[in-house]
Amino acid sequence: MKFRPCIDLHQGKVKQIVGETLSDNDQAVVENFVSEHSPAYYASTFKRDGLLGGHVIMLGGGNEAAALEALQAYPGGLHIGGGITADNATYYLDRGASHVIVTSYIFRDGELNMDHLERIVSTVGKEKLVIDLSCKEKDGKWYVVTNQWKTFSNFELNKQNIEMLETYCDELLIHAVDVEGKRTGIHEQLVKHLAEWVSIPTTYAGGARSIEDLELFDRITQGKLDITVGSALDIFGGKLPYRQVVEYCNGKQEKLPGK
């Protein structure tokens, strides 16, 4: 289990928000934290601590300059997502992103758009692509949601569908929208199933708030998944010490066979 850091950008600032409240009406967005520090500050911190494969997410327009600032501070160390398409993906890769993350570009009108998926794979290569399967629970199953996490697609997260998508990408990123940004604990059932389904590097994001949550996550997944911790961290206004999380996850890495 690795700790994957995050830099969420909204209106050009580093923020932690409740993802379900995203909308075109900025007054409706629930902000857990708005940082006084720049994106480069966080990127440099993650670089210093050797944390690879974190993600920079542009939540809406007006975040491009802030995103580039983070990428330039940690070239090759961060993934970037939010409005990524086959037309602009190379732009961000050329400016320091190690991978691009896609959701809405490949999920259109409530279903997976294979033409768009194949186009972006052809443009950047499977080894540079991360597919974000932001999902919500409905009737005991999980479905990808788009349109600022408000619209359910017909794409169910299950073993068959994940195995198919794994042939097109290098990694998966799973936002558990039901708990994301709420600091109420991980979504245990989803995490359990993901550990059974995935076979490529996969990062889970949503609800983690304590070392106890990390211990539970590690136990359920048997170290198979990586994790993002956001608004619970003290560097994002929470109470969980960032340094403690880094040291805990580094300790887990050191105990892996062959280490």
Side-chain angles (χ1 to χ4, degrees):
M1 180 181 75
K2 296 178 183 176
F3 169 50
R4 303 285 198 107
C6 61
I7 302 174
D8 291 344
L9 301 172
H10 183 245
Q11 298 176 322
K13 295 181 179 294
V14 178
K15 298 184 182 182
Q16 286 290 317
I17 67 178
V18 178
E20 281 188 296
T21 68
L22 272 174
S23 71
D24 295 329
N25 176 14
D26 290 330
Q27 300 299 317
V29 175
V30 176
E31 298 175 342
N32 286 331
F33 175 75
V34 181
S35 181
E36 297 178 355
H37 295 297
S38 68
Y41 168 85
Y42 289 100
S44 297
T45 298
F46 303 150
K47 180 180 180 180
R48 178 199 68 200
D49 293 332
L51 300 174
L52 284 167
H55 50 274
V56 179
I57 302 295
M58 298 180 287
L59 299 170
N63 293 300
E64 292 80 4
L68 291 178
E69 183 182 326
L71 297 180
Q72 290 162 5
Y74 192 7
L78 296 166
H79 305 169
I80 188 164
I84 300 298
T85 69
D87 294 325
N88 64 14
T90 301
Y91 174 86
Y92 290 103
L93 291 172
D94 288 345
R95 283 157 181 79
S98 68
H99 294 68
V100 291
I101 306 168
V102 292
T103 305
S104 296
Y105 179 68
I106 64 169
F107 289 97
R108 293 283 186 173
D109 301 319
E111 58 187 32
L112 178 64
N113 186 311
M114 290 302 299
D115 287 342
H116 280 196
L117 177 57
E118 290 172 357
R119 184 179 173 207
I120 197 164
V121 171
S122 176
T123 300
V124 305
K126 172 181 182 289
E127 68 281 359
K128 294 290 185 180
L129 186 65
V130 178
I131 295 178
D132 178 359
L133 299 176
S134 295
C135 63
K136 293 182 72 172
E137 187 174 2
K138 183 172 67 173
D139 300 327
K141 299 178 181 180
W142 291 272
Y143 294 87
V144 169
V145 287
T146 61
N147 185 29
Q148 298 172 328
W149 294 352
K150 293 177 176 59
T151 303
F152 275 92
S153 75
N154 63 6
F155 191 89
E156 180 188 346
L157 268 67
N158 57 39
K159 186 174 180 60
Q160 180 180 1
N161 282 341
I162 284 179
E163 284 180 346
M164 182 274 293
L165 285 183
E166 286 181 339
T167 64
Y168 290 91
C169 64
D170 194 48
E171 297 192 16
L172 296 171
L173 172 62
I174 316 290
H175 283 92
V177 176
D178 295 300
V179 296
E180 196 277 335
K182 298 178 181 178
R183 293 176 284 197
T184 54
I186 64 172
H187 199 312
E188 294 183 38
Q189 283 301 311
L190 175 59
V191 165
K192 178 178 181 293
H193 285 301
L194 290 173
E196 296 169 352
W197 294 336
V198 304
S199 65
I200 64 175
T202 299
T203 300
Y204 166 88
R209 64 198 163 171
S210 64
I211 293 298
E212 290 73 23
D213 282 340
L214 297 183
E215 291 172 341
L216 175 63
F217 179 85
D218 186 54
R219 184 166 66 251
I220 292 175
T221 66
Q222 298 182 327
K224 191 174 180 181
L225 304 182
D226 296 338
I227 193 166
T228 288
V229 185
S231 58
L233 293 178
D234 57 357
I235 62 172
F236 294 130
K239 296 181 179 179
L240 179 60
Y242 162 79
R243 178 55 48 196
Q244 190 177 3
V245 171
V246 172
E247 291 175 355
Y248 174 81
C249 292
N250 282 348
K252 287 296 177 182
Q253 287 299 109
E254 291 171 0
K255 292 178 182 179
L256 290 174
K259 292 285 185 179

